[in-house]
Amino acid sequence: MAELHAPESCKRKRESDGAPGEGGEAQPASLSSFKLQTVLRESARDKTIFMHAKLKDKEGDEKDAVVILEKTPFHADGISDILSDDPKLKLQMSNDVYSTYSLYPPPQLSEIKTTLIFPATEKHIQKYRRQEVHLIHESGEDYRSITLPFLESQSFSVQWVYNILEKRAEADRIVHENPDPANGFILLPDFKWDQKQVDDLYLIALCHIRTIKSLRDLSSEHLPLLNNILSEGQSVIQKQYGVNKSQLRVYLHYQPSYYHLHVHFTALGYDAPGTSVERAHLLSDVIQNLGLDPQYYQRRTLTYALREDEPLLQKFREAGKC
Ligand code: DD3
């Protein structure tokens, strides 16, 4: 079965870094011990499948894993190669001028993007299970009395973010850095983007400052930081990828999936996950709102969806808020 190879840059890092949990957890050498537990979710439209599996680590111990497979988009330059290389074609049906086939491209043109979370916690597994969702209208007071105490009681690890900020992981993927400790950030491609085509461009800006958990913590004092992220991000992406700022969606999530302030940059033409009205907040709107009211995000009711199984939803129910 498939061998997993770390990229060269990653291998180099790993030798000097040693301590797992800092530079990264130990990775299994292959998927050959893969044992499917359950399919958590699949989407014919997105061509993705999310699986809970068991994998053996280097010591031979079986541990939980989440394995995500995704068929990747076509890109124009590769397409002639697939068709002109005399690929295997199997006729499905033929009728008048119409016919359909199964085409079997050579391995280098039939790649499947694979994401592995290993070892995976119950939280990781839960996150990908399909669930009912419910809207929450969280007032500023609800945030302070329900959401914040809940967040503080949880141990959400953002170690992977600190690894990036400290150049202990993904250093070779950094596209831009403003090193200022208060108003600086690192811009790099998100995990979800394989960087093969700009159609589904997806980068994230991670702030150097570690005290801003989310949109709720923002006030007008953060305007220099937010303005830097917007203007430097737009201009670097224009230079590096040729995507104009008029074709970029720049936004924050509330609730975010990790509590270290970050900003998403996605191609406007790409229907990126998490761009729904109940989650995405355009950075340009955020900047303007903070200009109107320095405490805008401490005062406003923010609406978002929570999954049926999320403990935070339970907290809102206990408080009689939904
Ligand atoms: C994550 C949100 C977090 C599963 C998965 C992703 N971009 C990341 C580690 C390194 C990264 C990201 C959590 C985790 Cl698939 C659980 O995302 C990351 N590196 N979004 C980059 N560049």
Side-chain angles (χ1 to χ4, degrees):
M1 241 205 184
E3 287 285 318
L4 293 174
H5 295 285
E8 285 307 318
S9 54
C10 202
K11 282 183 187 161
R12 248 187 286 118
K13 277 236 103 107
R14 205 140 268 153
E15 274 152 15
S16 55
D17 103 32
E22 286 187 353
E25 296 289 341
Q27 292 298 303
S30 82
L31 285 174
S32 61
S33 63
F34 176 93
K35 271 198 218 134
L36 180 65
Q37 303 298 108
T38 73
V39 172
L40 299 167
R41 164 152 55 107
E42 62 193 308
S43 163
R45 200 197 68 173
D46 300 337
K47 317 281 189 295
T48 53
I49 185 165
F50 298 73
M51 293 165 285
H52 172 205
K54 295 274 189 191
L55 283 182
K56 284 193 178 136
D57 67 9
K58 286 189 180 121
E59 279 72 52
D61 296 331
E62 208 165 63
K63 291 189 173 146
D64 288 307
V66 173
V67 182
I68 307 169
L69 301 183
E70 180 178 356
K71 297 206 186 178
T72 56
F74 291 108
H75 23 116
D77 356 320
I79 224 69
S80 327
D81 297 347
I82 298 186
L83 298 172
S84 59
D85 263 16
D86 189 26
K88 232 189 281 169
L89 267 186
K90 200 172 128 202
L91 180 70
Q92 295 294 315
M93 72 100 206
S94 165
N95 179 348
D96 189 47
V97 296
Y98 309 99
S99 49
T100 65
Y101 306 84
S102 285
L103 185 155
Y104 302 94
Q108 66 275 16
L109 297 170
S110 54
E111 121 181 35
I112 289 176
K113 185 182 177 210
T114 306
T115 305
L116 177 61
I117 306 175
F118 182 81
T121 63
E122 183 51 37
K123 245 191 231 162
H124 285 125
I125 297 164
Q126 202 59 25
K127 179 178 155 187
Y128 294 109
R129 226 171 240 136
R130 204 180 284 288
Q131 279 274 310
E132 297 266 0
V133 290
H134 301 271
L135 270 194
I136 294 282
H137 302 281
E138 179 197 83
S139 66
E141 187 43 39
D142 292 338
Y143 175 73
R144 287 179 287 276
S145 66
I146 303 170
T147 311
L148 183 58
F150 170 75
L151 295 182
E152 285 169 341
S153 75
Q154 295 283 306
S155 51
F156 290 117
S157 171
V158 285
Q159 188 58 50
W160 68 270
V161 174
Y162 298 160
N163 289 342
I164 292 171
L165 296 176
E166 291 162 17
K167 321 272 163 67
R168 285 192 277 119
E170 305 188 52
D172 53 337
R173 287 161 48 86
I174 295 176
V175 171
H176 173 73
E177 174 169 18
N178 176 330
D180 189 277
N183 299 323
F185 64 97
I186 281 178
L187 181 76
L188 82 171
D190 188 275
F191 247 25
K192 289 186 272 298
W193 186 35
D194 66 12
Q195 301 180 69
K196 299 233 168 81
Q197 58 283 312
V198 295
D199 311 66
D200 59 344
L201 175 137
Y202 200 143
L203 292 103
I204 44 174
L206 302 170
C207 304
H208 277 302
I209 191 166
R210 298 187 180 194
T211 51
I212 313 175
K213 287 185 290 303
S214 75
L215 193 57
R216 277 283 187 209
D217 288 336
L218 289 176
S219 62
S220 54
E221 66 176 295
H222 303 115
L223 282 171
L225 167 68
L226 299 174
N227 281 314
N228 285 348
I229 292 177
L230 184 59
S231 65
E232 291 174 35
Q234 286 172 332
S235 99
V236 165
I237 289 172
Q238 160 77 72
K239 272 195 217 103
Q240 186 93 2
Y241 302 102
V243 176
N244 195 274
K245 65 179 185 180
S246 67
Q247 299 192 303
L248 265 190
R249 191 191 286 113
V250 188
Y251 55 102
L252 292 80
H253 281 154
Y254 193 77
Q255 296 282 344
S257 44
Y258 46 99
Y259 292 89
H260 175 103
L261 191 79
H262 58 282
V263 174
H264 304 258
F265 290 77
T266 60
L268 189 59
Y270 168 48
D271 188 8
T275 52
S276 53
V277 290
E278 71 274 26
R279 189 152 191 221
H281 297 256
L282 287 175
L283 180 56
S284 55
D285 286 357
V286 171
I287 288 171
Q288 200 169 124
N289 291 336
L290 291 173
L292 292 170
D293 176 356
Q295 256 66 61
Y296 188 91
Y297 289 102
Q298 287 79 57
R299 294 195 165 125
R300 256 212 64 168
T301 292
L302 296 173
T303 299
Y304 54 86
L306 287 177
R307 298 153 46 95
E308 178 71 43
D309 63 4
E310 276 181 276
L312 184 56
L313 181 66
Q314 198 50 43
K315 300 281 178 213
F316 271 86
R317 282 184 174 154
E318 282 164 15
K321 301 282 181 173
C322 65

